[in-house]
Amino acid sequence: MSAPEKTARDPDAGGVSPLPSRVLMIAGDTDRAARLETVLEFLECEPRVHRAAPGPGEVRAGDGWLACVVSSCLGDALFDLLNDLPDFVPGVPIVLVGEEADFPVLTKAAKAQVVRRVGFPVRYPELADALRSARHAVANGGLEGGSRAVELFRSLVGSSPAIQRIRKLMTQVAATDASVLILGETGTGKEVVARNIHSASSRRGRPFVAVNCGAIPADLLESELFGHEKGAFTGALTARQGRFEMAEGGTLFLDEIGDMPLPMQVKLLRVLQERTIERVGSNRSIACDVRIIAATHRDLEVAIEDSHFREDLFYRLNVFPIEMPPLRQRLGDLPLLITELTARMEGEGRRTVRLAPSALRVLSVYPWPGNVRELANLIERLAILHPGETVQAEDLPAKFRQGQPGAPEDSDTPQIADPGPGTETPLPQDGIDLKEYLNELEVGLIRRALDDASGVVAHAAKLLGMRRTTLVEKIRKFGIQRPEDVPDN
């Protein structure tokens, strides 16, 4: 009986992965090879070290490689080696170690197998995340035809328990056709999760069609979803397929489902029940085989209480809920996210920046109301302001430095004055209406809390130290409108 195959520590699951652990490592420098080997062994991988390009017969595609790690210290031989690797190990993920300028221009075949580049000296979190990308590629049958799935999984960068849980849920539900409801604040990456589920499912060869229910006028949404016949309404000069027909056999992503008008909710519920659609202006039923993934930043339970969302539709969509964590709840992932964002900018040929430890410390206490999207915007802004430089804490925009020692005052930030002990605020000569004054104060605080929570009532209630149902009653009482947010990308 042969010895059991060694398995690698899986950063996604926090346990043992059944995937192969063999890592082909090519590093011409002895010291660099030893360092790489140490980190790989710590990750419970099985490195096979080569000081130069493997000779004929030394490496076979069928050996079950998890990844190929290539160092940039190989000099002139690096160009030929990298472009020959697709012949040695076709479909095996490649991780490059070194600075971007050290690597030559790759052929299309070699470039398609590269899942990540990490700097040297190698840092454990970066290499662990690179191997995670490789592991997802292997789990999806290699990189041939699956590079898009790998790129998407890279978008969920991080090693925090929250992100590990999201990856596990995605893997579990991808193998089914269950409807998925993705919840979370704006900018947390809900569409990224939807695309990952589709790419890892049996429907990945069919279309993924996304529609933003909040961005399309109510009177056009029915035609957009179900299509229309020629002459169905003014301007319908030809027949047109709807999004359901476009997504046939694949996945339809209904983003911002919480903004869908009630009349359309009734029609969508009927489609989900009967699995048929009717184009506008037609009485012919068309069978549809579409998986539904919906997403919203709104609290649908509150919307149901407010009679803005149908309870029966909620239960149809909420078969498998996935709640995306806000960035402030996984700040430990911040360095990896910044590394990923800057690496993508480098890969696109754009200038990028590096962040000094002092800047990282400041950003690690910022609440990130805009989540990962706000972080991406900041990195792009810094790259424009400080191209190729190392950004220090004092180089960050003022709003990110509020509350830090020496931070400038922000005149736009409302301040609550503290009169100090024994100080009394004089009343106006004509007196005040205390009830009205307190109501105005309460409304102002509720609006500020809703703004800070991006309109999510449950989060605003926590900021105000009250029950969600109590806050809902006060919102109704005062007729407060929740802020409208930009849709998720």
Side-chain angles (χ1 to χ4, degrees):
M1 180 180 296
S2 60
E5 181 179 354
K6 183 179 176 182
T7 54
R9 180 183 296 174
D10 186 350
D12 293 348
V16 173
S17 165
L19 296 173
S21 65
R22 297 188 186 93
V23 175
L24 174 63
M25 192 181 78
I26 306 173
D29 181 84
T30 304
D31 179 62
R32 181 173 290 203
R35 293 190 187 187
L36 287 171
E37 191 172 9
T38 299
V39 177
L40 288 169
E41 287 177 347
F42 176 77
L43 290 168
E44 298 182 14
C45 291
E46 187 181 344
R48 179 171 170 182
V49 183
H50 285 263
R51 308 297 180 191
E58 289 186 90
V59 174
R60 295 176 301 173
D63 283 344
W65 299 101
L66 172 64
C68 178
V69 176
V70 182
S71 169
S72 63
C73 63
L74 293 168
D76 296 337
L78 187 60
F79 178 83
D80 293 334
L81 168 66
L82 288 175
N83 291 321
D84 286 343
L85 279 176
D87 297 326
F88 282 116
V89 280
V92 173
I94 298 173
V95 177
L96 304 179
V97 178
E99 298 303 316
E100 182 184 17
D102 297 337
F103 292 102
V105 177
L106 302 178
T107 63
K108 185 176 180 180
K111 190 175 181 180
Q113 288 187 213
V114 175
V115 294
R116 189 67 62 90
R117 183 191 61 77
V118 299
F120 189 86
V122 173
R123 295 159 66 181
Y124 159 74
E126 292 184 42
L127 187 56
D129 206 54
L131 292 176
R132 182 182 300 116
S133 297
R135 186 163 287 113
H136 283 306
V138 173
N140 285 285
L143 286 170
E144 294 180 1
S147 58
R148 175 62 179 159
V150 175
E151 176 65 24
L152 288 166
F153 271 110
R154 286 177 57 190
S155 303
L156 294 169
V157 172
S159 56
S160 63
I163 287 298
Q164 292 180 26
R165 183 173 63 254
I166 295 296
R167 290 195 187 99
K168 183 177 180 181
L169 290 173
M170 287 163 47
T171 302
Q172 289 173 325
V173 77
T176 73
D177 266 345
S179 297
V180 179
L181 180 61
I182 307 172
L183 307 168
E185 298 177 12
T186 296
T188 51
K190 296 189 286 293
E191 183 170 343
V192 172
V193 171
R195 289 184 179 276
N196 268 284
I197 292 172
H198 172 75
S199 296
S201 74
S202 59
R203 295 176 177 264
R204 58 182 171 269
R206 304 296 297 165
F208 176 92
V209 178
V211 56
N212 190 309
C213 301
I216 301 173
D219 54 344
L220 297 179
L221 187 55
E222 181 179 4
S223 170
E224 190 69 27
L225 289 176
F226 307 138
H228 62 256
E229 297 293 347
K230 180 179 179 181
F233 50 83
T234 303
L237 302 179
T238 60
R240 181 178 181 273
Q241 281 189 334
R243 300 298 179 97
F244 270 89
E245 288 182 77
M246 294 178 187
E248 178 64 23
T251 301
L252 179 62
F253 177 54
L254 299 174
D255 198 7
E256 297 304 341
I257 190 73
D259 295 334
M260 179 178 282
L262 277 170
M264 271 305 304
Q265 293 179 31
V266 177
K267 295 177 180 179
L268 176 60
L269 179 63
R270 177 179 173 274
V271 170
L272 297 181
Q273 290 171 337
E274 300 182 9
R275 293 292 173 181
T276 60
I277 61 169
E278 290 181 5
R279 290 183 179 180
V280 177
S282 171
N283 57 6
R284 181 173 65 91
S285 294
I286 303 173
C288 62
D289 172 24
V290 172
R291 180 186 194 161
I292 299 295
I293 300 179
T296 181
H297 71 276
R298 300 200 179 278
D299 187 332
L300 292 186
E301 293 183 4
V302 173
I304 291 170
E305 292 177 10
D306 293 342
S307 300
H308 293 154
F309 201 83
R310 292 184 61 94
E311 188 172 13
D312 45 6
L313 178 58
F314 172 73
Y315 288 119
R316 277 280 177 180
L317 297 171
N318 196 38
V319 176
F320 195 91
I322 296 179
E323 187 161 359
M324 295 297 294
L327 182 54
R328 62 181 172 274
Q329 292 181 6
R330 58 182 190 104
L331 289 172
D333 291 335
L334 202 61
L336 286 175
L337 285 165
I338 292 172
T339 299
E340 174 67 13
L341 290 168
T342 54
R344 288 188 192 184
M345 293 172 67
E346 290 174 354
E348 294 169 3
R350 294 189 288 164
R351 289 187 173 185
T352 185
V353 291
R354 295 289 182 266
L355 268 63
S358 61
L360 282 174
R361 282 194 295 271
V362 169
L363 297 181
S364 67
V365 296
Y366 179 69
W368 297 106
N371 295 295
V372 179
R373 186 181 305 148
E374 184 180 10
L375 175 62
N377 291 343
L378 172 64
I379 297 301
E380 187 166 1
R381 177 180 175 184
L382 292 175
I384 295 171
L385 294 172
H386 310 280
E389 300 175 12
T390 298
V391 174
Q392 305 293 333
E394 57 269 21
D395 298 322
L396 294 172
K399 82 171 198 174
F400 295 94
R401 292 182 282 128
Q402 290 301 313
Q404 298 293 319
E409 292 290 336
D410 187 348
S411 58
D412 295 331
T413 303
Q415 303 292 326
I416 299 176
D418 181 6
T423 304
E424 294 182 359
T425 302
L427 292 172
Q429 277 189 335
D430 298 334
I432 63 169
D433 184 330
L434 182 61
K435 183 177 180 181
E436 182 179 351
Y437 177 81
L438 293 176
N439 283 345
E440 289 177 358
L441 182 62
E442 190 173 14
V443 168
L445 291 172
I446 290 173
R447 283 178 173 156
R448 282 178 58 185
L450 287 169
D451 285 340
D452 290 345
S454 300
V456 181
V457 175
H459 296 157
K462 290 180 182 178
L463 293 175
L464 295 169
M466 64 174 64
R467 294 173 61 87
R468 180 179 59 80
T469 51
T470 303
L471 180 56
V472 171
E473 290 174 3
K474 289 183 179 293
I475 291 172
R476 288 177 182 167
K477 174 184 174 182
F478 296 119
I480 297 172
Q481 296 293 319
R482 281 181 272 168
E484 293 295 327
D485 296 313
V486 294
D488 271 334
N489 287 331

